[in-house]
Amino acid sequence: MGRAREVVRGRGVTPGQGQGKALVSTQPFMFAHGVEPQSGNVIDMRSDMLGENIKGKVLIFPFGKGSTTGSAWFLETIRQGNGPSAVINVETEPIIASAIVMARFLYGIAIPLVDRLEKDITDLVTEDATVQVNGDTGEVTIVS
Amino acid sequence: MILTDEEKACLQGSHGEANRLAVELLVRVGEAFGSERLIPITSAHILGHYGSLHQAGIDFLERLAEGGGQCRVPTTVDPSSVDFGRREQFRVPEDYVEKQKRLQVAVEKLGVIPSWSCTPYFAHNVPRFNQNIAWAESSAVAYANSVIGARTNRTSFGLDICAAITGKIPEFGLYEEQNRKGSILFEVELGAFSDLDYHTLGAIVGRRSGSRIPVIKGIPPDVTNDRLKCLGAGAASAGSVALYHASGITPEAQLKDPFDGTRPEEIFTVSRKDLQDMEDQISTADPNSKVEMVTLGCPLLSIGELKAVFLKMQHRRVKKDIFFWIYLAQETYDLGRALGLVEPLEKAGIWFSTQTCATISSVKVWGFSHVMTNSAKCALVVPSEHNLSITYRDTDGCILTATEPV
């Protein structure tokens, strides 16, 4: 679509501001054995993001799946400096939300998490679009 | 969320740093789920293995321990990544030993019962029907919800220990009656069941259910808890089944219509052929390649299952060119030893390991490429990065492959 500075409203689950290139999966996403913490590479053989790197990206996926240890895998990825700059879900779940809350406690890293957007974000972002996420207000801005 | 005065005070730090962190995490996640309040729990079961928790997990548990956190409800812990008593035998890398030790110290400081078992419902932490509990470990969650009728979501790492030290969890999902009814039906037509069939049926149910709640008809009324353990583990690992109802077997299905008067969204019949197809899918190995290791005990072997292995192993010993490893809880090992089941098996070449299991320990260092197991969960959760191929057989098949007559 590419219309500059389109703003989409959602629900801010965790506070903070983040900006980065969009990395979009249309499938449920798994951190446990799905992302390598020491690199941020997606290693889940079944993921449509296999081979991509999540570091600094605005990570967009419908919801989390897989083992309940996923929150530790995600937290470790953040600890090693390889976390995303923001996360956008259709509907978030505890694995994702708890990892982000723990990251702020432990490492002072705030990653905004927004879900329930009023529009389907996957229709709005093109490949390599830059997206801004405001976790305080729940606003997502497609910059370019 | 509507918080009590005590919870509000906790958030201000009145009950120390650990409680402040814990309540904040519970509230943040609760709010994400539209939960209105925190509810009391009577039991917790947490994760504590380095293989998945990494340094970040150590940081979190140590932070809570240093902040004065203490479990307020009986809390057990899932298996460890290291069997400290057998670290040389199993070639555990030094960093695993060191990191797991730190987790062990933190867990014990927090007042957790150091059970290191994925079957807390068999010992140390048995919930009652209708109790709210906060358990991690997907196979134990399936057992507690389904077989016992206690209530828990699949509690993720972090929330588990925060629930334990506050004695609370946000109310959402399976804590609420209306979210516990079945939505799809499996009609099982098998006649006699083997031990493997429960694992395989679990995998079929899990794969087709996803996160929906299945109702299973056709399980024999005399099914043992050991077998329901295996059914739930398969369903929880092939899908994300946290609760199933088995007609005539599980308590909620006995008390009322598990569909609550509604029609199932989908009905599947499960035949012997479906089981065979799933067995073939779970086995990924080239049948001509050599099995290097055979493992039993996922979930950890019960005393009844140990006895069955003992009986099958009469006048047999482990072949020279194969490893045969059995994982079980410490108390099961001790009981087996007292009963005279363990020593003859060890003499026959079986390696036992307690407090850990094949899927979360450092098995990778052995460089196996072909492993045999009788567990659908073990086969399905072996991480893809290990490049292991699996042969999936019943317990007798595993024993016959690993051993030869004396």
Side-chain angles (χ1 to χ4, degrees):
Chain A
M1 306 287 272
R3 186 156 61 87
R5 300 205 71 85
E6 178 158 8
V7 178
V8 186
R9 271 166 230 290
R11 180 179 69 142
V13 178
T14 58
Q17 321 289 322
Q19 175 171 325
K21 298 273 187 206
L23 183 59
V24 183
S25 172
T26 56
Q27 303 169 344
F29 190 74
M30 178 172 87
F31 275 95
H33 305 286
V35 173
E36 187 179 60
Q38 57 270 39
S39 64
N41 289 335
V42 177
I43 52 171
D44 176 6
M45 306 296 282
R46 296 179 197 91
S47 172
D48 55 0
M49 286 202 270
L50 178 65
E52 300 279 358
N53 188 292
I54 67 168
K55 180 177 177 172
K57 303 279 170 51
V58 171
L59 189 58
I60 301 172
F61 56 93
F63 44 87
K65 69 161 186 178
S67 161
T68 52
T69 62
S71 45
W73 285 78
F74 188 14
L75 182 62
E76 176 70 7
T77 305
I78 300 169
R79 186 188 76 84
Q80 297 210 23
N82 297 318
S85 60
V87 176
I88 301 172
N89 289 159
V90 172
E91 186 79 45
T92 197
E93 51 77 57
I95 292 171
I96 305 301
S98 58
I100 291 176
V101 175
M102 287 189 282
R104 191 168 52 81
F105 289 160
L106 290 174
Y107 311 118
I109 299 170
I111 297 176
L113 167 63
V114 171
D115 74 350
R116 299 185 188 168
L117 295 189
E118 60 193 356
K119 292 180 193 166
D120 185 348
I121 184 92
T122 61
D123 289 343
L124 301 175
V125 292
T126 48
E127 206 172 323
D128 284 336
T130 297
V131 177
Q132 266 175 9
V133 179
N134 185 333
D136 303 333
T137 61
E139 277 180 357
V140 173
T141 308
I142 297 148
V143 179
S144 62
Chain B
M1 281 178 95
I2 302 159
L3 299 180
T4 64
D5 290 343
E6 193 203 353
E7 289 157 5
K8 285 180 194 157
C10 264
L11 279 176
Q12 300 303 317
S14 67
H15 291 63
E17 174 69 358
N19 273 284
R20 188 185 68 75
L21 290 181
V23 173
E24 190 176 338
L25 183 65
L26 295 173
V27 168
R28 284 255 174 223
V29 172
E31 282 177 342
F33 286 85
S35 172
E36 289 177 1
R37 57 185 186 134
L38 299 178
I39 51 171
I41 55 166
T42 54
S43 158
H45 180 73
I46 68 164
L47 301 168
H49 59 281
Y50 173 64
S52 292
L53 266 49
H54 304 92
Q55 183 60 43
I58 298 175
D59 291 348
F60 191 64
L61 289 173
E62 285 184 345
R63 179 81 171 268
L64 292 176
E66 283 155 15
Q70 271 299 307
C71 293
R72 279 173 73 159
V73 294
T75 301
T76 41
V77 61
D78 228 33
S80 154
S81 285
V82 178
D83 177 350
F84 288 103
R86 300 178 180 88
R87 45 178 280 203
E88 281 166 21
Q89 183 182 9
F90 283 89
R91 300 184 191 166
V92 184
E94 199 50 48
D95 66 315
Y96 259 69
V97 173
E98 181 200 321
K99 304 284 190 179
Q100 185 64 51
K101 197 80 201 170
R102 280 177 67 179
L103 282 168
Q104 183 179 326
V105 168
V107 157
E108 290 182 7
K109 196 170 174 187
L110 286 160
V112 174
I113 301 162
S115 54
W116 307 107
S117 161
C118 63
T119 58
Y121 44 83
F122 284 157
H124 310 306
N125 197 359
V126 185
R128 294 195 297 273
F129 181 66
N130 262 346
Q131 284 185 321
N132 291 318
I133 63 177
W135 282 18
E137 170 50 49
S138 65
S139 70
V141 165
Y143 192 96
N145 272 315
S146 312
V147 181
I148 296 174
R151 299 180 171 204
T152 178
N153 290 319
R154 285 159 56 99
T155 312
S156 57
F157 170 75
L159 280 181
D160 53 359
I161 185 63
C162 291
I165 66 180
T166 59
K168 294 183 176 176
I169 194 81
E171 183 179 43
F172 67 97
L174 294 177
Y175 296 110
E176 298 183 293
E177 179 80 27
Q178 71 270 21
N179 298 327
R180 295 181 67 86
K181 67 179 186 190
S183 59
I184 57 173
L185 177 63
F186 291 85
E187 292 181 327
V188 183
E189 293 160 1
L190 290 183
F193 280 65
S194 73
D195 67 302
L196 193 74
D197 289 342
Y198 286 93
H199 291 273
T200 314
L201 176 61
I204 291 172
V205 167
R207 195 151 286 172
R208 291 189 185 160
S209 301
S211 57
R212 294 180 294 179
I213 297 173
V215 178
I216 309 169
K217 273 189 184 165
I219 293 180
D222 60 350
V223 62
T224 60
N225 288 345
D226 286 346
R227 292 182 162 191
L228 293 175
K229 168 189 83 171
C230 300
L231 173 70
S237 51
S240 50
V241 171
L243 164 65
Y244 65 87
H245 300 293
S247 302
I249 310 277
T250 59
E252 283 161 273
Q254 295 198 46
L255 285 171
K256 58 181 188 185
D257 169 15
F259 290 109
D260 198 23
T262 59
R263 277 173 182 281
E265 285 168 20
E266 280 185 277
I267 301 176
F268 299 101
T269 54
V270 182
S271 65
R272 179 58 58 189
K273 179 174 184 311
D274 296 316
L275 265 79
Q276 187 58 55
D277 289 348
M278 180 54 80
E279 284 175 28
D280 293 345
Q281 276 184 47
I282 294 172
S283 283
T284 54
D286 173 354
N288 297 316
S289 79
K290 192 182 163 319
V291 175
E292 298 155 288
M293 192 266 274
V294 175
T295 179
L296 307 178
C298 173
L300 295 178
L301 211 74
S302 73
I303 191 70
E305 291 166 330
L306 179 63
K307 182 81 182 284
V309 171
F310 174 81
L311 293 174
K312 190 74 190 174
M313 279 291 293
Q314 297 302 299
H315 312 294
R316 299 189 70 84
R317 66 177 172 212
V318 178
K319 292 175 188 164
K320 289 259 177 290
D321 56 351
I322 204 163
F323 289 99
F324 188 6
W325 296 353
I326 294 181
Y327 294 90
L328 71 188
Q330 186 65 47
E331 67 268 7
T332 313
Y333 179 84
D334 292 343
L335 182 56
R337 213 173 171 83
L339 290 170
L341 305 175
V342 163
E343 216 178 341
L345 293 179
E346 285 181 331
K347 279 195 178 138
I350 291 177
W351 289 16
F352 287 101
S353 186
T354 60
Q355 311 198 330
T356 185
C357 80
T359 62
I360 60 166
S361 56
S362 51
V363 170
K364 193 162 55 170
V365 302
W366 290 83
F368 297 131
S369 60
H370 186 172
V371 167
M372 179 180 277
T373 176
N374 68 343
S375 161
K377 173 174 178 169
C378 181
L380 292 170
V381 304
V382 163
S384 53
E385 71 262 27
H386 288 193
N387 289 322
L388 268 182
S389 59
I390 298 284
T391 297
Y392 174 60
R393 291 286 183 276
D394 65 5
T395 307
D396 287 0
C398 286
I399 292 172
L400 292 176
T401 299
T403 66
E404 60 196 5
V406 173

